[in-house]
Amino acid sequence: MLTLHHLNDSRSQRILWLLEELALPHEIKRYQRNVETRLAPPELKAVHPLGKSPVITDGDTTIAESGAIVDYIIRRYGKGAMMPAPGSADYESYNEWLHYSEGSAMLPLMLNLYVGRLKEAGAPLHPRIDSELANHLGYVDGALKGREFFVGASLTGADIQMSFVGEMAKVFGKLDPYPNLAAWLTRMHARPAFQHSVAKGGPYRFA
């Protein structure tokens, strides 16, 4: 059985959401962040050398990157659901969003998080970070104009993968100028499978 190594308040929540959307039987092994440092516990290093979450194990297969996990689960267990047909124009867009989430969109959000902890010392960096946030969130908002989902007419792995981008933007109070992104995130959080994933995974401050 596929096992999700689930760290509280982390990117692994979206993997749990995906498993719920697919109604895929799975096991959850839970890990808790250090209350003071917010770091993952050392036990995760026994699963993968990076000691990060999400990680899945499926037989002899271990995968640690969110986009790779989403891709693997959908290809292996999705039975054709939650992804466009390979080779189609929609598939290329879908694949781009899978990579864009962590490859581009999350960088300014994480910089905003870490530089914010520097307080006054980080002030000179904020104009550039804010510019990049506006660039990426504006791009995402425009892509969602007139659309219910990122790709096609139904939920795909692209929506799962992009959810953490929207959630981080919301936590930082950056969503107001981006109504399409904000409305999409509200729709995603209203899905029964997302609600079930939070109930199973434990309190999730990004929801």
Side-chain angles (χ1 to χ4, degrees), residues 36-58:
E36 294 181 359
T37 67
R38 298 292 295 166
L39 295 176
E43 288 81 5
L44 266 171
K45 282 188 174 290
V47 184
H48 188 278
L50 288 176
K52 304 290 186 181
S53 180
V55 180
I56 61 166
T57 50
D58 190 17

Side-chain angles (χ1 to χ4, degrees), residues 107-182:
L107 177 58
L109 288 163
M110 295 307 294
L111 285 173
N112 187 71
L113 172 65
Y114 291 127
V115 172
R117 294 174 179 173
L118 299 176
K119 302 189 183 300
E120 293 83 1
L125 296 173
H126 280 295
R128 180 61 184 272
I129 293 171
D130 289 342
S131 174
E132 280 300 295
L133 281 172
N135 185 31
H136 284 284
L137 295 179
Y139 168 68
V140 173
D141 191 70
L144 285 167
K145 185 176 181 179
R147 303 190 62 86
E148 185 174 358
F149 304 100
F150 273 94
V151 181
S154 60
L155 186 82
T156 69
D159 299 288
I160 301 289
Q161 185 67 353
M162 285 296 295
S163 63
F164 198 65
V165 173
E167 289 165 352
M168 287 284 283
K170 182 178 180 180
V171 165
F172 292 147
K174 304 292 186 180
L175 275 188
D176 286 349
Y178 310 106
N180 301 315
L181 176 55

